[in-house]
Amino acid sequence: MSRGPDAATLLARALTAGAEAAGCPVEIANADWTRWASATFAGARHMLRLSAPPSPALIAWIAALPEAEFALRGHLVADLSVAAVRHASDIITMKLEILTVEER
């Protein structure tokens, strides 16, 4: 019996849906994750590269990301940082580093 999508899939869906709702659709150019655990928590570290055409809505969305709330069934976003943003004339690319923790 399937448990449903993993944290990486849920996170990618939440990011693209959030950008779409903000009026700045993004594409995930690259995504990777590694398992992570501490003495009290288990989860994953995610690294994503996203791209989108430049717009004021995109700039506002990127700025708001570290404080954004995400609904990920069975997981919490414990930390999100925008590690890099590169502006070109026709595209903006960003690197996100995100820590998710499994809910128990």
Side-chain angles (χ1 to χ4, degrees):
M1 185 175 218
S2 176
R3 293 180 47 206
D6 63 12
T9 301
L10 294 170
L11 185 57
R13 289 177 184 171
L15 286 166
T16 56
E20 182 76 33
C24 54
V26 298
E27 289 188 24
I28 297 176
N30 188 359
D32 195 15
W33 64 275
T34 56
R35 297 281 304 152
W36 168 89
S38 70
T40 54
F41 299 105
R45 292 186 184 278
H46 306 264
M47 290 173 282
L48 294 99
R49 289 194 188 277
L50 298 108
S51 61
S55 72
L58 179 64
I59 300 302
W61 182 75
I62 294 169
L65 273 176
E67 300 302 321
E69 296 287 329
F70 297 95
L72 307 178
R73 186 179 63 240
H75 306 272
L76 300 171
V77 173
D79 187 48
L80 185 153
S81 65
V82 179
V85 178
R86 195 178 99 214
H87 298 257
S89 60
D90 61 342
I91 195 126
I92 292 179
T93 58
M94 65 220 78
K95 178 183 175 186
L96 306 180
E97 295 176 354
I98 304 167
L99 175 66
T100 57
V101 175
E102 296 173 2
E103 290 181 323
R104 295 182 184 225

